[in-house]
Amino acid sequence: MHADDTGGQYSVLEHALEPESLAMPMHRHRIETKTLYAIEGSVTVQIDTEVFVATPGASLLVPAGTMHTMWNETDRRVRFLAIVAPGGLERYYGEVAALVASSGKPDIDGVIAASAKYGIELDMLSLYDIIERHQVQLA
């Protein structure tokens, strides 16, 4: 469900992560609060310094301004919903998807610029720690 369907109040986005993949570096949304709801498999979520594993039916709240990311440490695909308020984050994901091709080198400068445009702060250095510690790759 997109923000246009709710008068901008919220969006409901479905995400999937393939085995051993990391969604993105630690990041924070300036204005959006997210509720993550696990649908299939076990998704690992880091919120600030705490790490949680959400299994189907579990939900986690990520308040606006809180550093977070999620990954799949398992050998199965995972799916989860992100209920985002206020809505509109789907526009950001659409822009970033166009900058990160399924093969080849991603446009990192473009991703950083799009993130700034949507009020998202990325901690690119967090990639090293998460990838090494949890044996995952950037999706």
Side-chain angles (χ1 to χ4, degrees):
M1 180 173 294
H2 293 253
D4 294 340
D5 301 325
T6 67
Q9 293 184 14
Y10 65 93
S11 302
V12 179
L13 311 170
E14 183 174 337
H15 298 285
L17 286 172
E18 297 303 322
E20 301 173 347
S21 62
L22 169 66
M24 59 190 298
M26 291 290 287
H27 62 285
R28 75 175 98 230
H29 304 270
R30 184 172 42 88
I31 61 170
E32 295 91 0
T33 292
K34 283 201 272 193
T35 300
L36 304 173
Y37 180 80
I39 300 171
E40 175 186 336
S42 299
V43 61
T44 303
V45 180
Q46 182 169 338
I47 302 173
D48 282 330
T49 59
E50 293 189 71
V51 176
F52 304 91
V53 177
T55 57
S59 62
L60 295 165
L61 179 68
V62 182
T66 305
M67 292 298 279
H68 66 285
T69 194
M70 59 285 304
W71 62 85
N72 177 3
E73 294 184 288
T74 74
D75 59 359
R76 292 183 49 207
R77 183 177 192 241
V78 300
R79 293 183 321 128
F80 58 97
L81 298 177
I83 299 93
V84 184
L89 199 55
E90 66 274 11
R91 294 180 194 98
Y92 167 71
Y93 290 128
E95 256 185 64
V96 169
L99 299 168
V100 181
S102 58
S103 62
K105 185 179 175 187
D107 178 358
I108 298 298
D109 291 336
V111 169
I112 292 170
S115 298
K117 173 181 167 182
Y118 287 92
I120 298 169
E121 176 189 338
L122 300 173
D123 176 3
M124 298 302 281
L125 294 178
S126 70
L127 290 171
Y128 297 110
D129 178 56
I130 295 168
I131 288 170
E132 183 178 312
R133 222 171 357 120
H134 299 282
Q135 303 299 302
V136 294
Q137 300 176 45
L138 189 58

